């Protein structure tokens, strides 16, 4: 079965449940290679070109904090044309598909290195796969091995009520490029949300905290879509995204995020910052 934009949610849900069952049954081991089955579930029989120079993934070899692991996916400037989609898959996580991106026309078509950075939880030593679909429908992949453990069940904050203060408060920044005529510019989105995954224990009550996490983020510039992200609880608490998008006359962004309680959070970038 092949993946289309309309079936991304269904595939992500399938992989979340499959991964969670493996986790609860204790059958996922660091030495197991479960990528072939994940690839089949997400992409069916579609071929994937690996290490062909289209996509680069940057990740720490050993994570300082398994609950907050920075991952950057880069598309070199030699790759031209718009991108269709991107997947970030953490093989050994209870929810392997950390996010699925669908790009829009405001994402930009090149003219520089395109980048997307976020922070994830990693449950055990695992490969992290980045897969990008180019305009021609071809899938390109690269991977990195990260030594980390315990990120998905890391203790929740001692003061859960305070952690939920300003729930969904979103900060959006857009950074001026060094050259005004640059084809791309950078932006950053920070969402205040604990992203509880149901595997964390309340240190006070010793009960598991119910899952509640950001499941969807949509970023637009005017009427143009930058990207729509379908996300899982593999993203770290307080989701953070830094990314490039097309540089234009009006670069203000609108961000809408929805969590699993169907609460919607809306934000707008009102100040354009100078790139650091």
């Amino acid at each position: 079965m092949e993946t289309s934009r309309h079936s991304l949610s269904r595939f992500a849900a399938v992989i979340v449940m499959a991964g969670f069952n493996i986790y609860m049954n204790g059958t996922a081991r660091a030495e197991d290679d479960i990528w072939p089955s994940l690839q089949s579930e997400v992409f069916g029989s579609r071929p994937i070109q690996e290490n062909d120079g289209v996509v680069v993934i940057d990740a720490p070899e050993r994570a300082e904090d398994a609950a907050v692991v920075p991952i950057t996916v880069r598309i070199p400037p030699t790759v031209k044309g718009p991108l269709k989609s991107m997947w970030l898959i953490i093989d050994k996580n209870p929810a392997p598909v950390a996010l699925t991106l669908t790009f829009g026309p405001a994402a930009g078509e090149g003219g520089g290195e395109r980048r997307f950075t976020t922070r994830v939880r990693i449950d055990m030593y695992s490969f992290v796969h980045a897969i990008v679909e180019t305009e021609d429908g071809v899938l390109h992949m690269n991977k990195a091995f990260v030594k980390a453990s315990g990120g998905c069940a890391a203790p929740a904050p001692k003061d859960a009520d305070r952690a939920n203060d300003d729930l969904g408060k979103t900060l959006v920044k857009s950074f001026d490029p060094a050259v005004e005529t640059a084809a791309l510019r950078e932006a950053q989105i920070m969402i205040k949300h604990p992203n509880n995954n149901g595997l964390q224990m309340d240190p006070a009550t010793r009960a598991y905290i119910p899952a509640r996490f950001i499941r969807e983020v949509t970023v637009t510039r005017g009427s143009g879509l930058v990207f729509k992200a379908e996300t899982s609880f593999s993203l770290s608490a307080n989701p953070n995204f830094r990314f490039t998008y097309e540089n234009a006359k009006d670069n203000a962004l609108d961000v809408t995020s929805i969590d699993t309680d169907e609460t919607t959070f809306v934000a707008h970038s009102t100040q354009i910052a100078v790139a650091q």
Side-chain angles (χ1 to χ4, degrees):
M1 183 181 299
E2 295 191 353
T3 304
S4 68
R5 292 187 183 184
H6 302 291
S7 62
L8 295 179
S9 295
R10 179 166 54 85
F11 275 111
V14 168
I15 298 305
V16 167
M17 292 307 300
F20 187 77
N21 287 335
I22 290 174
Y23 180 89
M24 295 304 292
N25 292 332
T27 57
R29 298 176 301 175
E31 66 270 22
D32 290 339
D33 182 9
I34 63 172
W35 173 248
S37 61
L38 290 175
Q39 178 179 338
S40 177
E41 289 284 357
V42 180
F43 304 105
S45 59
R46 295 178 68 183
I48 300 180
Q49 298 183 13
E50 186 173 3
N51 298 325
D52 62 355
V54 172
V55 56
V56 178
I57 181 169
D58 297 327
E61 181 179 352
R62 184 180 295 276
E64 293 183 9
D65 185 342
V68 189
V69 182
I71 303 290
T72 297
V73 179
R74 298 186 287 114
I75 310 300
T78 52
V79 179
K80 308 297 183 182
L83 305 175
K84 284 187 175 182
S85 309
M86 188 186 86
W87 293 259
L88 189 63
I89 301 177
I90 305 166
D91 294 13
K92 300 297 177 63
N93 268 16
V97 180
L99 62 82
T100 300
L101 295 178
T102 300
F103 294 104
E109 299 187 4
E113 183 180 72
R114 286 170 279 184
R115 295 181 297 277
F116 186 92
T117 298
T118 191
R119 306 180 306 192
V120 300
R121 297 167 166 137
I122 295 183
D123 196 57
M124 62 178 69
Y125 286 23
S126 177
F127 277 108
V128 180
H129 287 84
I131 303 93
V132 168
E133 182 182 15
T134 46
E135 184 182 22
D136 55 7
V138 176
L139 299 174
H140 308 267
M141 181 176 75
N142 212 324
K143 65 184 178 182
F145 189 78
V146 179
K147 296 177 181 178
S149 60
C152 292
K158 291 184 179 180
D159 190 340
D161 290 335
R162 177 164 292 183
N164 286 323
D165 287 348
D166 297 322
L167 183 73
K169 181 179 180 180
T170 302
L171 181 62
V172 186
K173 296 181 179 180
S174 180
F175 301 94
D176 289 331
V179 179
E180 186 177 353
T181 57
L184 300 171
R185 65 190 292 116
E186 276 193 298
Q188 186 173 19
I189 298 169
M190 294 166 278
I191 306 171
K192 190 174 188 303
H193 200 289
N195 252 28
N196 293 323
N197 57 21
L199 304 175
Q200 300 150 313
M201 186 174 290
D202 186 319
T205 66
R206 308 299 293 173
Y208 285 102
I209 299 171
R212 183 182 183 183
F213 54 90
I214 297 293
R215 66 169 183 81
E216 181 180 297
V217 179
T218 302
V219 182
T220 57
R221 187 197 60 198
S223 60
L225 177 69
V226 179
F227 67 79
K228 180 177 180 179
E230 296 177 17
T231 59
S232 77
F233 58 67
S234 283
L235 290 189
S236 299
N238 302 318
N240 189 312
F241 311 102
R242 185 158 181 147
F243 55 92
T244 55
Y245 69 106
E246 182 184 44
N247 189 31
K249 183 175 296 186
D250 181 7
N251 293 293
L253 297 175
D254 291 294
V255 179
T256 301
S257 56
I258 305 172
D259 72 9
T260 51
D261 276 13
E262 301 305 319
T263 303
T264 298
F265 312 102
V266 178
H268 178 75
S269 64
T270 57
Q271 182 176 356
I272 307 301
V274 177
Q276 300 297 317

